[in-house]
Amino acid sequence: MGTESPLTMYARVAEVSVEKYTESTVAQRNDVVALEEPLEIVLLAYQKRAPVRIPVAITMRTPGDDKHLSLGLLFAEGIISSMDDVTRVEEAAANTRDKPFTTAITVYLKDHVPVDPASFARQFPSTSSCGICGRLELPDIRTRESSQAGPSVKTSLLYTLPAKARQRQTLFQHTGGIHSAALFDSEGNLMMVAEDIGRHNALDKLIGRALVNGTLLSDAMLLLSGRVSYELMQKAIAARIRCVFAIGAPSSLAVELACTYDVTLIGFLKENRFNVYAGKQRILPT
């Protein structure tokens, strides 16, 4: 399950020439790096029963899972609330002179979904490092609070999660330059992994895939490969995830959000240690 076909892997990495240095030698070798290419996300919505094409964002990402990435981003931004808001999702090449994007994703909304084209007039950019940058306001995540208590987890089980996720991080094993977001059930079984050069993109891909599959995220546990920023915590809360674990450190605002919305937040999770920043009631001693 942790392997990909050569064709799939080739589409997500690039071969480069590098000079490898050791204490005594310098050698020229070929190496692989993670691809980073632009993706255009477009809405097809209805205004007064007439279809309107609305450019939403241009994001730099690792190719693959583009439909899930688009749906996850739209969900986290509060534009859609479920797959009931979506008619279909189309993917098309957009290699034209005036729009040199590798891929364009168009999400067709049902006519009952309210969308104001003026709110996208700024056509905010989204980079692989920051999520959506320069937006004027954040979605109201309070309206998406889950009534679920969330899973409880034993410390002995927590220690096993990073290794389980690494086994499915195929791109990271090849390049060393990829982030991941992994979803576990309450028993510690790995349900799905998403990888991308951007931390936010990886989480958007994971949320989008769960949205399509109808996975109940309030009963799941999220493991992030890097640090936890405000934006990542906001996306997790919008998706009703109650347990957020990370290999890296959380930011102060991420901790504040976790405390405010009763999310269990763990940082520096290794095979033998971790820090609990919020929601310690869900952590059970072994």
Side-chain angles (χ1 to χ4, degrees):
M1 294 179 65
T3 60
E4 292 188 75
S5 70
L7 182 61
T8 302
M9 179 58 61
Y10 179 76
R12 301 170 70 185
V13 300
E15 188 173 274
V16 296
S17 177
V18 299
E19 288 188 339
K20 291 182 176 287
Y21 285 73
T22 66
E23 290 182 349
S24 58
T25 64
V26 178
Q28 188 165 3
R29 297 285 187 271
N30 288 335
D31 201 356
V32 293
V33 296
L35 277 180
E36 183 177 26
E37 294 180 346
L39 170 72
E40 182 184 30
I41 301 173
V42 177
L43 286 180
L44 203 293
Y46 286 87
Q47 294 290 313
K48 297 180 180 180
R49 298 186 178 181
V52 179
R53 185 182 182 277
I54 306 172
V56 174
I58 298 167
T59 182
M60 302 300 295
R61 95 295 185 210
T62 300
D65 263 357
D66 290 332
K67 293 182 179 180
H68 290 146
L69 189 161
S70 303
L71 290 169
L73 186 147
L74 294 175
F75 180 83
E77 293 300 312
I79 298 170
I80 62 174
S81 58
S82 72
M83 289 304 295
D84 291 336
D85 294 336
V86 179
T87 300
R88 67 183 188 275
V89 182
E90 290 185 352
E91 180 176 352
N95 290 318
T96 62
R97 180 170 298 180
D98 61 329
K99 225 168 242 197
F101 306 118
T102 302
T103 307
I105 295 291
T106 301
V107 179
Y108 291 76
L109 300 183
K110 294 183 179 178
D111 56 9
H112 71 265
V113 182
V115 178
D116 180 11
S119 64
F120 299 99
R122 63 191 183 280
Q123 193 173 347
F124 40 69
S126 176
T127 73
S128 60
S129 61
C130 73
I132 289 185
C133 305
R135 57 188 166 193
L136 300 182
E137 59 185 20
L138 295 171
D140 183 8
I141 57 178
R142 184 176 297 276
T143 61
R144 296 193 182 182
E145 282 189 277
S146 170
S147 60
Q148 301 290 330
S152 297
V153 57
K154 291 184 179 181
T155 55
S156 57
L157 181 61
L158 274 167
Y159 296 139
T160 69
L161 301 186
K164 291 178 181 178
R166 279 196 300 271
Q167 291 176 0
R168 292 274 294 277
Q169 292 174 231
T170 310
L171 277 176
F172 178 80
Q173 292 169 12
H174 282 78
T175 67
I178 286 287
H179 288 286
S180 72
L183 201 65
F184 295 85
D185 66 17
S186 58
E187 301 299 320
N189 298 308
L190 182 60
M191 296 191 288
M192 60 184 77
V193 175
E195 291 185 283
D196 197 276
I197 199 166
R199 295 175 297 129
H200 301 78
N201 292 340
L203 183 52
D204 282 335
K205 288 179 178 181
L206 191 78
I207 292 173
R209 196 181 306 167
L211 194 66
V212 170
N213 295 343
T215 304
L216 185 62
L217 292 178
S218 59
D219 290 338
M221 302 181 293
L222 172 66
L223 176 64
L224 301 171
S225 63
R227 65 185 185 276
V228 187
S229 63
Y230 176 91
E231 291 87 354
L232 289 175
M233 182 60 67
Q234 178 265 321
K235 289 177 183 290
I237 294 171
R240 303 178 178 89
I241 297 172
R242 288 297 193 179
C243 291
V244 177
F245 312 144
I247 305 301
S251 71
S252 62
L253 283 179
V255 174
E256 184 177 327
L257 268 184
C259 293
T260 300
Y261 291 99
D262 187 27
V263 173
T264 296
L265 175 59
I266 285 177
F268 297 107
L269 177 58
K270 310 295 181 185
E271 284 77 6
N272 58 358
R273 62 183 175 89
F274 59 83
N275 295 345
V276 181
Y277 295 89
K280 65 179 182 180
Q281 73 276 10
R282 297 189 182 91
I283 308 302
L284 306 178
T286 300

